[in-house]
Amino acid sequence: MDKIKYWTAELHCHIGSDAPKNTPQAIASKVRELAAKEKVNAVWFLDHDIFPDKSFFEKLEPLPVPVMPGIEVSSSFGPTRLVHIGGLFPKIPDYWPFAKPDWSGGLQSRINTVAALPHPKDVIEAILESGGLPILFHPSNIIPWTSLRLSEIRKLAEDIDLKLVPLELNSSCIYAPSHQSIIELAKELGELTLVGGSDAHDPPLIGQKRTLFPRYNDNPFSDLRQAVNNRETIVVGNNQTFFQWLILMGQRIDLNPTFTKLLRSYYFKKPEKNEADKIKKNYLENR
């Protein structure tokens, strides 16, 4: 592929309270590093159930790549089935119909909150009506919490056209075992599109899993939407290792920070086997 003619986009990078290490300064440093290596030339920043604050983009130092907003929406596929739907946008929409859920309180309160969430179908339709691109984030039969099971995606396909709703191959090691099943499901449901996302809650993970798509009009959002429609996306990058996942979890709960810092300095610098060829081969074979 001619790199000049293709976007290499990070579609799933978190900011906000759930990703405290992804500060504007840390993100800018990592994105500049990736851009210099031609690994990333477009980035979407997301938060859970709210759009990134405009002040976040104002605090970002000038970057050599376009940056855009997104949202990861909590929805309910049943009384206790919390699932996340992603929405990517060219800009923050003027109107958004869903409020941020209140997760305070005990277990019963949280169960009640899940039961009151919108259905994934309603979230997908709201994203489309607001000018965005919906994505089924990290579908998985292995870890079904916050993830649509593949059987649920089949049911969803009976109620809504998923041709413009890509399935994400997520870089996290807890979702990676489902990747081949997702590829097969995409073919089963009529050649659905696949995209890659790193689900980065920490700067070293930004760009770990990316989506390649053509630069039709040199506009990353409209080009991504057209690529999804044309099924011209390719997933590249590495899966997060189990050690990386353990280190990040340890950092989040401040579990022996000195020890996790030492591990982090080693494992995040250790070269990982690139899965791009394998994923591309699987994807093209199932087109």
Side-chain angles (χ1 to χ4, degrees), residues 98-138:
F98 306 120
K100 184 178 177 64
D102 180 6
W103 296 110
S104 62
L107 177 60
Q108 187 58 51
S109 174
R110 295 189 177 204
I111 291 175
N112 294 340
T113 298
V114 171
L117 292 171
H119 190 275
K121 177 178 180 290
D122 298 325
V123 173
I124 290 170
E125 290 177 344
I127 292 170
L128 290 170
E129 290 172 3
S130 300
L133 175 71
I135 298 176
L136 302 185
F137 273 171
H138 44 68

Side-chain angles (χ1 to χ4, degrees), residues 124 128 133-136 161-167 192-193 228:
I124 290 170
L128 290 170
L133 175 71
I135 298 176
L136 302 185
D161 185 2
L162 295 181
K163 293 291 177 63
L164 293 179
V165 186
L167 309 179
L192 301 186
T193 304
V228 168

Side-chain angles (χ1 to χ4, degrees), residues 62-227:
L63 294 174
V65 303
V67 295
M68 290 142 290
I71 189 170
E72 185 163 354
V73 186
S74 298
S75 65
S76 176
F77 207 87
T80 60
R81 285 290 295 123
L82 171 65
V83 296
H84 288 171
I85 306 296
L88 306 185
F89 292 81
K91 62 183 183 65
I92 298 174
D94 295 328
Y95 171 74
W96 182 246
F98 306 120
K100 184 178 177 64
D102 180 6
W103 296 110
S104 62
L107 177 60
Q108 187 58 51
S109 174
R110 295 189 177 204
I111 291 175
N112 294 340
T113 298
V114 171
L117 292 171
H119 190 275
K121 177 178 180 290
D122 298 325
V123 173
I124 290 170
E125 290 177 344
I127 292 170
L128 290 170
E129 290 172 3
S130 300
L133 175 71
I135 298 176
L136 302 185
F137 273 171
H138 44 68
S140 172
N141 279 336
I142 308 299
I143 307 292
W145 182 248
T146 77
S147 303
L148 279 166
R149 296 186 180 99
L150 304 194
S151 60
E152 292 170 335
I153 296 176
R154 291 186 180 94
K155 292 180 181 178
L156 191 61
E158 296 174 0
D159 298 326
I160 190 170
D161 185 2
L162 295 181
K163 293 291 177 63
L164 293 179
V165 186
L167 309 179
E168 181 193 53
L169 299 182
N170 190 282
S171 73
S172 174
C173 66
I174 63 175
Y175 300 122
S178 296
H179 284 180
Q180 187 57 42
S181 297
I182 295 168
I183 292 171
E184 293 169 359
L185 179 67
K187 181 179 180 180
E188 172 194 327
L189 293 179
E191 313 298 345
L192 301 186
T193 304
L194 300 171
V195 296
S198 69
D199 202 355
H201 288 71
D202 190 278
L205 293 181
I206 298 174
Q208 189 158 18
K209 187 81 79 178
R210 308 176 301 281
T211 302
L212 270 64
F213 54 97
R215 297 180 81 142
Y216 304 106
N217 302 303
D218 212 35
N219 180 305
F221 177 77
S222 64
D223 288 350
L224 175 59
R225 192 158 54 180
Q226 184 174 343

Side-chain angles (χ1 to χ4, degrees), residues 1-8 41 213-216 223:
M1 287 185 182
D2 184 348
K3 293 182 180 178
I4 297 176
K5 295 181 180 179
Y6 275 75
W7 294 103
T8 308
N41 57 15
F213 54 97
R215 297 180 81 142
Y216 304 106
D223 288 350

Side-chain angles (χ1 to χ4, degrees), residues 57-58 66 115 207 260:
F57 292 99
E58 294 171 355
T260 56

